[in-house]
Amino acid sequence: MTSKLARSFAAVMALLATGIAGANQYNLQPPQSIIAREIYDLHSLIMWIILAIFVVVFGAMTYSIIAHRKSAGHKAEQFHENTTVEIVWTVIPFIILIGMAYPATKTVVSMKDTSNPDITIKATGYQWKWGYDYLQEGVSFYSSLATPRDQIDGGNAEGRKNNPNYLLEVDNPVVVPVGKKVRIITTANDVIHSWWVPALGIKQDAIPGFVRDTWFKVDKAGTYRGQCAELCGKDHGFMPIVVEAVEPEKYAAWVKDQQAKMAKAAVADDPAKSWSLADLKARGEKVYAANCVACHQATGMGVPGAFPALSGSKIVIGPKTDQIAMVLNGKAGTAMQSFKHLNDVEIAAVSTYLRNNWNNNSGEAVTPADVKALRK
Amino acid sequence: MEAAHAHAPGHDDHAHHPSGIMRWIQTTNHKDIGTLYLWFSFTMFMVGGVLALMLRVELFQPGLQVWRPEFFNQLTTMHGLIMVFGAIMPAFVGFANWQIPLMIGAPDMAFARMNNWSFWLLPPAALLLVISFFVPGGATAAGWTIYAPLSTQMGPGMDLAIFALHIMGASSIMGSINIVTTILNMRAPGMTLMKMPLFVWTWLITAYLLIAVMPVLAGAITMILTDRHFGTNFFNAAGGGDPVMFQHIFWFFGHPEVYILILPAFGIVSQIIPTFARKPLFGYVSMVYATSSIAILSFIVWAHHMFTTGMPATAQLFFMYATMLIAVPTGVKVFNWIATMWKGSMTFETPMLFSIGFVFVFSMGGFTGLVLAITPVDIQLQDTYYVVAHFHYVLVAGSLFAIFAGAYYWLPKWTGHMYNEVLGKWHFWLSMVFFNITFFPMHFTGLAGMPRRVPDYALQFADFNMISTVGAFGFGLAQLVFLWAVLKCISGGEKAAAQAWEGAEGLEWTVPSPAPYHTFETPPAVK
Ligand code: HEM
Ligand SMILES: [Cu+2]
Ligand SMILES: [Cu+2]
């Protein structure tokens, strides 16, 4: 009996120990920042304590089940209290808990210390992508899922099988320098999202109308992947986060590159330029694909019951001002959020695109000046 | 005693009660109402279970195969709401109705008509939830926690869910008032508070919790409703509101709610273990104190669900310490159960199997609760499958297993027949094995970084998800064994004695099996 017991305990322990010792699949991801490492160690410590309690408590229970059974001829004793024992098993857990709380407290305090960052990046949650603004560098971009739709929907299951980063890849990753303290400020445009990169040990909710912050410092160059962690609607599972940590020189070069790109885009989106309907429509198609397609769909037919069709929509083919106002301000209490973070050209372009695509043939262009006039 | 025996079973349903369906609609009898609650709960358990299997089908492999993401979110949300408010809570109220009067020697519940009304509010509420799948936009898809402002974005399905929650909340409050009044005023002479069976104690405390927090939930969802339709901005930052305030209010209800879902289970298990260990409950007094302190502490830990919202460090520390503190009385309970088994003379009929299973698997959920209480670790694990594993260990292996244990334990009293032990054992072992196959791997996927409430996942989570799905179907099928065992027991079987179990103690075992329609019309004397 006892050898069988010992064997089953060994098996349970081995199972839990693999959990602790860490093949990637069974445990927290390998930590890549100080905080992540502290969390990892805290978790291991707690698991060892739990394992010890588990063995003592369920060892006793298993022994009792085997020894104190009627079929084994055991007669019941009738004791039903023992003050000493009861005090002991209230006090001991208490002491164990203090032992766990102490290191945890230190980590809580260091997680919260966002002072003196080298770089500050604002991460804004949108349904369903992330927007990033490097506050000192003036770099801004959006970051959306890069996994092709056909891999997700099953048209290309083969592609999915061969894609090691399925659902964890984006078009524009967040680039940060190794060894520098990066402060992330989170906020959101519509509902609550959560910015989470497991290997870096951070998860911070992004709350509309409020800003929160957290920080990390990456140990070594590499690509670290995470996902939005707060249910945020239909495509909650499809808004990953990718952080690329590079050497500081490479980072400086990347910043230059981004700044140049942005300057170019600003010239391309110059509202003073004369925009033809065809130009606007072409630009609008891109804006639509980046911002609207998740809800209103490529067909412009929306999702019945949830997101209205824009093809044939009264608002789209009605007066320009109503349509622009809808896109600029959104509609309170619905998933249609304000898109005022897009520039005048983008809003003019997407509005023109809507009015002249699918079954909508107004032949009318919305100009950047129209948009500008309606901005509050 | 004699008075109770003098009534032939079923005496009254012919004399002054309608028969057929009207008997059930008009009944004010605590036993009938208990039965109604239990069947209602089982029906909702099946509905919630089908939703869960629909979820697991989609999660069987990566990619979107069966459902669109928006419908998947409706499934998760409705599964959660139906299981919590439709299956687990009503089941415990069913037990309370049947057992509390029998255990304290009362003839019925204090407010018999209100009792009828509390039950009959539930089917319309359930209907609203089910109908909400068919309105434009479908059921609410904001999660059972209906966080604002996602919930303000939802379609009319959200309004139906809010109405349903309001109705169920009213039902719970009425039920609780009834239970408190019954326990405080209708105990047989000589039954002091400290002589009450532990099941009655845990329900007394649970009922107070319900009365305290259901109105808080009602407030939260009413604010959502007015934000949605009447231009208020409680949770809308653009109008000066605060989305995080919703979470504070919700979890001020929500954390006591999780104890509402477990305290009666503690009570059931505390009745069963002494019976089959043939030994009095160890530490009765400390059990009462532990239950009370859990209930009190449950009001000051709510923000452990919100560590990632970004509270100040002092708040995170306070909620971490308070949460860890709850582990102490919870531990005391587990130790007491094991000490009750210690040096007893145990047999392992189905109720005992489910109770021991409960102690073992519930404790695993307690351990993961402790892991989650550690703020930095929680920040990693919040909103991952690890949390899903944690709460299924405490709710399925905890609350649900205790419900099964209680059902097998008291079925002889309710039906007059012993259930079939072979079926019961099959039910236990299948449930236990498949439960762990389903939920144990979720600890791993959660640790490795799989978020919860997603219809699709990265490839490294594929193996464990496949295992979970297989386990879920096994678990689902195992519940049909339960249905079979119950139906078989109702329709016949070995006759049960008044004291159906050798080691059972308590007033309920002094009345015949099945318990007559009216019991304890003259109060029994308790030494
Ligand atoms: C030792 C006792 C326990 C401790 C220390 C504990 C701790 C926690 C913590 C810290 C969380 C938040 C996890 C997160 O979202 O990041 C949590 C979640 C949860 N716990 Fe527990 N817990 C305990 C027992 C229980 C019991 C007895 C129940 C119910 C029967 C329960 C039900 C839940 C549920 C339903 C959630 C998740 C709610 C959601 O987000 O949907 N817990 N628990
Ligand atoms: Cu999100
Ligand atoms: Cu809680």
Side-chain angles (χ1 to χ4, degrees), chain A residues 236-288:
Chain A
H236 161 57
F238 306 92
M239 50 183 290
I241 294 147
V242 178
V243 174
E244 229 170 81
V246 297
E247 296 306 327
E249 312 79 66
K250 257 178 120 178
Y251 170 74
W254 176 84
V255 168
K256 278 233 172 62
D257 201 39
Q258 291 294 311
Q259 284 165 338
K261 256 199 210 151
M262 289 186 58
K264 222 171 104 198
V267 173
D269 268 359
D270 179 4
K273 199 167 95 177
S274 88
W275 287 86
S276 73
L277 192 144
D279 288 347
L280 283 168
K281 200 178 155 189
R283 178 83 181 92
E285 186 167 4
K286 291 210 183 79
V287 178
Y288 185 83

Side-chain angles (χ1 to χ4, degrees), chain A residues 15-16 19 24-29 36 39 42-43 46-47 50 53-54 57-58 60-61 63-66 68-71 73-82 85-86 89-90 93-94 96-98 100-101 104-105 107-109 111-112 127 149 151-154 160-164 166-168 190-192 194 196-205 207-210 212 227-238 303-306 332-337, chain B residues 61-65 68-70 73 77 136-137 141-143 147-150 152-154 227-228 236-237 241-244 247 277-286 307-313 316-317 320-321 324-325 327-328 332 334-336 338-339 341-348 356 359-360 363-364 367-368 370-371 374-384 386 440 443-461 463-464 502:
Chain A
L15 194 72
L16 287 172
N24 211 342
Q25 239 191 339
Y26 296 100
N27 202 345
L28 294 168
Q29 295 182 11
I39 293 175
L42 261 176
H43 177 255
I46 299 162
M47 286 309 286
I50 287 177
I53 302 175
F54 182 91
V57 173
F58 292 102
M61 186 172 99
Y63 173 79
S64 176
I65 289 174
I66 292 163
H68 306 145
R69 46 170 68 218
K70 196 178 176 197
S71 58
H74 196 271
K75 292 273 174 311
E77 294 183 12
Q78 293 300 314
F79 63 86
H80 55 84
E81 54 198 3
N82 183 327
V85 171
E86 289 175 55
W89 71 36
T90 312
F94 197 77
I96 296 177
L97 289 179
I98 294 175
M100 288 163 55
T105 303
T107 305
V108 168
V109 171
M111 286 175 104
K112 278 283 169 190
Q127 280 172 323
R149 210 63 226 183
Q151 291 188 10
I152 298 171
D153 289 338
R160 172 169 70 227
K161 279 200 198 93
N162 299 319
N163 181 354
Y166 176 69
L167 293 191
L168 299 176
D190 32 50
V191 299
I192 302 177
S194 194
W196 177 35
V197 184
L200 303 181
I202 58 175
K203 182 186 287 148
Q204 175 59 57
D205 288 1
I207 301 161
F210 290 79
R212 295 289 148 86
Q227 282 175 277
C228 173
E230 181 66 61
L231 177 62
C232 56
K234 170 166 98 55
D235 283 350
H236 161 57
F238 306 92
V303 175
T334 72
M336 183 62 200
Q337 295 298 319
Chain B
Q61 45 172 313
L64 293 177
Q65 282 85 19
R68 304 301 314 155
E70 57 272 22
N73 291 345
T77 305
Y147 279 5
L150 185 59
T152 41
Q153 279 191 357
M154 295 288 139
D227 268 14
R228 286 168 57 77
N236 174 12
D242 181 353
V244 178
Q247 300 184 23
R278 295 172 178 72
K279 189 166 158 280
L281 183 68
F282 187 89
Y284 173 91
V285 179
S286 70
F307 284 140
T308 60
T309 55
M311 293 175 265
Q316 291 193 337
L317 291 174
M320 172 170 80
Y321 300 148
M324 293 173 79
L325 214 52
V328 175
V332 165
V334 173
F335 301 149
N336 281 338
I338 294 176
M341 290 157 64
W342 192 258
K343 303 220 157 148
S345 175
M346 278 186 274
T347 51
F348 301 92
I356 295 177
V359 173
F360 182 68
S363 298
M364 310 250 271
F367 286 140
T368 53
L370 198 53
V371 173
I374 308 297
T375 308
V377 181
D378 177 78
I379 287 176
Q380 272 292 3
L381 297 177
Q382 158 111 86
D383 273 315
T384 68
Y386 193 89
F440 202 76
H443 294 111
F444 299 136
T445 47
L447 283 168
M450 177 167 163
R452 70 191 275 208
R453 295 168 165 166
V454 291
D456 195 5
Y457 46 84
L459 303 183
Q460 68 262 37
F461 306 123
D463 298 346
F464 283 138
E502 185 190 27

Side-chain angles (χ1 to χ4, degrees), chain B residues 39 41-50 52-53 83 88 350 354 396-397 399-405 407-408 423-436 438-439 471-487:
Chain B
W39 278 114
S41 149
F42 187 78
T43 313
M44 295 316 279
F45 174 55
M46 289 289 123
V47 175
V50 168
L53 294 182
M83 285 303 196
I88 305 281
T350 309
F354 269 109
V396 176
S399 312
L400 186 65
F401 277 18
I403 288 168
F404 289 145
Y408 286 108
L423 284 181
K425 291 212 160 101
W426 269 104
H427 177 217
F428 170 73
W429 286 109
L430 289 174
S431 296
M432 187 71 175
V433 168
F434 282 116
F435 168 79
N436 282 291
T438 312
F439 293 104
F473 275 86
F475 189 81
L477 291 177
Q479 305 323 310
L480 299 179
V481 180
F482 176 62
L483 180 62
W484 183 15
V486 171
L487 292 176

